[in-house]
Every structure is written in C-alpha cells, then in structure tokens.
Amino acid sequence: MNFLSTRGRTPPTAIDQALSAGLAPDGGLYVPERFPALSQPLAADGLDATAHAILAPYFERSALRESLREICARAFSFDAPLRPLSQPDDWLLELFHGPTAAFKDYAARFLAEALAGLRDDSAAPTTILVATSGDTGAAVAAAFHRRPGFQVVILYPDGRVSPRQAHGLGCWGDNVQALRVDGDFDACQRLAKQALSDDALRAQRPLSSANSISLGRLLPQAAYYAYAAGRHYAQRGEPLNFIVPTGNLGNACAAFVAKRMGLPIGEIRLATNANDTLPRYFAGADYLVQPTQATLANAMDVGAPSNFERLRYWHRDDAELRRATQAQSIADAVIVDTIRNAPQRHGVVPCPHTATGLHLLETLRAQGDERPWAVVATAHPAKFESIVEPLVGHAVEPPPALAASLARPAQAEPMAADYDTLRAFLADPAH
C-alpha cells in the first residue's frame, strides 16, 4: 500500500513518509492508492478494536505495524456513542467525548501517537503547524502538549471563534503557541500550506501538519463511521445513512473512506452553514471558492474546503461526484430555530454545527425519507454557551476536561495575515 498525491506529481509514497510530511511535495493531498476491503467482520469489542481493523491494511509496511493496536487503544480510549433521538430511525453520533469536546480529538491523538512512534530521538524537534477554524487547534494542542520532540504552532482567525474555543487554543503553554491571525480561516489555511510547501524553511525547521489535509487525520476518522454503521447493521440489518456537518470536508471524506472499504454505510449528505461553496457545486454550478462569511457555526466558516481535492480525485468526473452526494446550506436564523426547538423535537441540546445536521434531517423527514439517518454531533454545546444557553433557557454544563482547560490562563499573540510575517516567526529560533 502506497499513497499518491491528488496532483499526480509526487512518486508513490510509503505510509510513514506520508504521515510525517503532512502535505505532498507537489502541494497535493495524500490518498491511498486503493481502498482495501475488510476481509473479516469488524471486532465487536470496542471503538479501538474497530479502529485497528480499519487502519491495519494501510499500515502493513509501516514501522508502526506491531504497535498499531496499542496506538489505537490510547487514541480511541473514549467512546463514540450512537444515541437514539426522539423519532424512530433518527440517531446522533456523539463525537464530543474527548479531552477538548470535539470530534477532532480522535484523529489528533492518533496522529500524535503515530508521529511520536516514528520519531528519531536524535532528530531536531518537529513543529506541527495547524490552521484552525475553532476546534482543530485545541485537539492538536491537547494531543501534542508536553510531548517530547514536538512543538505546536496554531493559526486561528482573530475574533471568528467562540470565546471558549479561543481560550482552548491559548491555554496550553509549554510547547504550544497560539497566533491569532488578522484574517479568516481561509487565510490561516493558506499561510499553513505556504509554510508546508516552503522547502527552504522546512530545511531550517522541520514542519508537519495536523490539519484535515494530513493523512493521519483522514484515515483514523473513518473508524467511528465504521463502528457506528457496523453496530447499527448488526442490530437492524440495514445500512446507516449519515449527515455530516462540514467546513473543510475532512470528516466527510473519512465517511467516504469507510464506505469505500465496504462498511454498511448508505448515503452521505453534507450540511454547511451560509458558506455555500459546496451546495452551489453539488447543485450544478462550477466549483468556485467563495469569500468566507462569519456564522454561528464558526468551525465551518470555510470558503475554500481543502479536502474537496480528495473528493474530486476519487470520482471520474463532476457528474459522478454530484451523483454520489448532496449538500445543503443552513442560514444562521435556521440554526437559531433548530437549537431552540431541538430539546423538544429531538431530545438533545446541539451545538450550532450539529444544528445544521439536525435541520437537514428535519428536511429529509418532511420530504418523506424514512431511512435510518445519523446526524454527526461534532462538538459539545458547552463550547458555544453564549449562543446555546439563551436559546434553550438553561446553563449547559461543560464536561470535566473542558472545564479544566477553561480554568487555566490563556494567551495568544497577534499576527498579520502575511506569509513573510509567519515565515519570520517560524524561522526565529526563539520560537
């Protein structure tokens, strides 16, 4: 099993090299040369065992092969429960039970364990450069915090994340530095990609990525889709369909990987906020990057979703890709109404991102769709208390790990949305 660049100008690459690099040398995203079909039923004894079954075919030639089971046990040590909602065949896949209360905790922890296992102790420290629209940075910071041989630099859009998200990005210290960028998430992502493609800078300071462009984020995220779909099929004998709230398309691509590996997954629908690059495309328009709009579902405020490059690579043409999935844009006013009504209608309090998925579920039901659907709950509502609590009329208690991070002091340095500024920062030995 080798890995190819979506841009086709990088030779086939082994898994360990692709994991360490983050981005392919030609600027493309790494993808597996094929999707292995699972040769045996998934283990029924936990999410970590399912993760190992999903990942093992990709790691057959890896130095991590013998330790992969232990890596999965450490990375997937908290559950991903499939919770029934109020109506029959309505489900919520809760992915917010990790240390930073967001779905990105699973893959960030896996990537940290994998890169630590591949690291030569005599090598210079590796800097994990990560752009975040709200949740990625905290998950990566938690996974790499105080891990020997690694430093983390987080780029986030100043004023465009929730107060608790901002606190979660700047509360770590030690080997983690947060930079609040004067720009939107797309600007942060652009800066990160420029640095990762800067050969001269990387020769001076070893860099890797933990964004969803990283293969080490894509592959492990397929595990919780496999786990949920496998359990549902075992109990009910039919595929489970998924609604994925999405911004940069990494989580949605992971669902696609699980489906292509043969898991009992039906249709995959995408829910976005007012940033409608994807809904426009799937409705038949040319793919055209849109200026980013600030919304209540800020972690999805993406006008140029990087992982679209993977989706396009995996399909023969636009027509086939459009047949494979659909996307719906949900405005802030609808997000507000959905959060307000969710406790009575669905029996849950959602975050703004999960609310986009719940609204899409409501739309499908109104159209007469009776299939089983699972909405992916991407973050705990307590991370967005200033939005959620006034709408549901009561406090939303943060889970213990999130509460602990909120109790720590936080700080972040301001930075212009300018590559020369970021390059100078990264080239400075003091950082």
Side-chain angles (χ1 to χ4, degrees), residues 59-410:
F59 282 81
E60 286 183 347
R61 294 173 53 202
S62 171
L64 302 174
R65 178 180 176 179
E66 298 304 320
S67 58
L68 185 63
R69 191 176 299 276
E70 289 74 23
I71 289 174
C72 289
R74 292 191 293 271
F76 294 88
S77 61
F78 42 92
D79 199 11
L82 187 63
R83 172 178 178 172
L85 296 175
S86 297
Q87 299 303 314
D89 284 326
D90 289 0
W91 301 88
L92 195 70
L93 178 57
E94 292 185 347
L95 300 181
F96 50 67
H97 294 284
T100 70
F103 78 93
K104 302 182 183 189
D105 283 319
Y106 300 94
R109 284 158 59 97
F110 178 87
L111 180 62
E113 293 284 350
L115 292 182
L118 294 172
R119 175 176 164 72
D120 181 346
D121 291 340
S122 65
T126 297
T127 296
I128 306 298
L129 181 62
V130 56
T132 184
S133 54
D135 289 326
T136 296
V140 171
F144 284 92
H145 185 226
R146 294 178 177 171
R147 194 176 285 269
F150 294 95
Q151 296 173 313
V152 177
V153 174
I154 301 168
L155 307 175
Y156 75 90
D158 192 11
R160 291 177 178 242
V161 303
S162 79
R164 283 186 172 175
Q165 283 177 314
H167 192 99
L169 297 169
C171 69
W172 301 95
D174 302 313
N175 63 328
V176 179
Q177 294 174 291
L179 303 177
R180 45 188 179 90
V181 177
D182 184 17
D184 57 22
F185 168 73
D186 291 323
C188 297
Q189 184 166 246
R190 192 162 48 248
L191 292 172
K193 286 184 175 181
Q194 283 181 271
L196 290 164
S197 299
D198 188 332
D199 292 338
L201 175 62
R202 295 186 71 162
Q204 181 178 353
R205 181 172 186 167
L207 296 175
S208 189
S209 170
N211 275 94
S212 61
I213 59 175
S214 168
L215 196 65
R217 286 275 307 280
L218 172 70
L219 296 179
Q221 286 179 162
Y224 43 70
Y225 290 107
Y227 185 53
R231 286 180 296 161
H232 182 271
Y233 191 82
Q235 294 168 5
R236 297 174 178 263
E238 58 183 329
L240 183 60
N241 306 279
F242 287 96
I243 295 172
V244 186
T246 193
N248 214 24
L249 268 176
N251 204 14
C253 281
F256 179 84
V257 169
K259 181 175 180 177
R260 288 289 295 268
M261 290 183 70
L263 277 303
I265 293 172
E267 191 174 352
I268 300 167
R269 292 281 187 106
L270 310 179
T272 76
N273 54 25
N275 293 278
D276 60 354
T277 298
L278 294 171
R280 284 173 180 265
Y281 166 80
F282 283 110
D286 291 339
Y287 180 78
L288 182 63
V289 170
Q290 305 287 321
T292 303
Q293 302 179 51
T295 75
L296 296 177
N298 65 272
M300 291 153 51
D301 288 351
V302 181
S306 285
N307 285 281
F308 182 74
E309 195 166 327
R310 280 187 170 123
L311 275 186
R312 221 172 202 174
Y313 180 89
W314 286 328
H315 294 83
R316 286 192 299 270
D317 52 31
D318 288 346
E320 183 184 68
L321 176 51
R322 289 186 177 111
R323 287 193 299 269
T325 191
Q326 298 179 44
Q328 181 176 336
S329 174
I330 290 89
D332 274 0
V334 179
I335 291 174
V336 166
D337 286 343
T338 305
I339 295 172
R340 181 185 292 117
N341 297 324
Q344 182 176 3
R345 185 162 188 173
H346 301 289
V348 294
V349 175
C351 82
H353 312 80
T354 306
T356 67
L358 288 174
H359 178 72
L360 179 48
L361 175 63
E362 293 168 6
T363 301
L364 290 167
R365 295 306 187 212
Q367 294 170 348
D369 192 321
E370 297 180 351
R371 294 174 294 172
W373 284 94
V375 174
V376 177
T378 56
H380 195 284
K383 299 187 81 168
F384 307 90
E385 86 292 352
S386 61
I387 298 170
V388 173
E389 291 181 354
L391 295 173
V392 298
H394 60 80
V396 178
E397 192 71 21
L402 179 60
S405 69
L406 293 172
R408 296 193 294 267

